[in-house]
Amino acid sequence: VQLVESGGGLVQDGGSLRLSCAASGFTFDDYAIAWFRQAPGKEREGTACASSTSDFTNYRDSVRGRFTISIDHAKNTVYLQINSLEPGDTAVYYCAADRLYGSKACALLEAPYEYWGQGTQVTVSS
């Protein structure tokens, strides 16, 4: 079982990025998914999550309206579209998958998530 993130990089204030998270060894069909981030010297925090059917989504207040989470089941890949990037978005971004909530809901807390990727760095320059 593996989650591999990609799409991070250096971008200017106000720019956009699309992060990808590809799964192998399992499918997202029964898993809720989430994107977390960890900035230097700070704790990891949840930014966006979605149930496996995408019927339920949730966003951290500070990213709501700028971040969009989506799942492409055919590609077994999860995306995080980030618009209007701010220096405060600089962090390592991780995707995670959880079977507990599955199709019902999702959480922005770390506890339910059993599978984690290694992270991709996003750096926003001012």
Side-chain angles (χ1 to χ4, degrees), residues 34-47:
W35 284 94
F36 290 78
R37 68 184 181 186
Q38 187 167 23
K42 295 187 177 180
E43 293 187 354
R44 189 156 56 184
E45 61 183 21
T47 63

Side-chain angles (χ1 to χ4, degrees), residues 23-33 52 71 73 76 97 99 115:
S24 60
F26 75 106
T27 70
F28 287 122
D29 291 351
D30 299 315
Y31 285 78
I33 50 89
S52 61
I71 309 172
H73 289 282
N76 209 28
R99 191 161 190 168
Y115 300 138

Side-chain angles (χ1 to χ4, degrees), residues 37 39 42 45 66 85-91 93 124:
R37 68 184 181 186
K42 295 187 177 180
E45 61 183 21
R66 300 189 297 117
L85 277 156
E86 304 167 353
D89 295 320
T90 294
Y93 284 72
V124 183

Side-chain angles (χ1 to χ4, degrees), residues 1-6 20-28 31-34 76-78 94-98 113-119:
V1 173
Q2 193 174 18
L3 293 173
V4 178
E5 302 95 335
S6 61
S20 301
C21 172
S24 60
F26 75 106
T27 70
F28 287 122
Y31 285 78
I33 50 89
N76 209 28
T77 300
V78 172
Y94 302 88
C95 65
D98 149 50
Y113 294 92
E114 58 200 89
Y115 300 138
W116 290 81
Q118 292 301 305

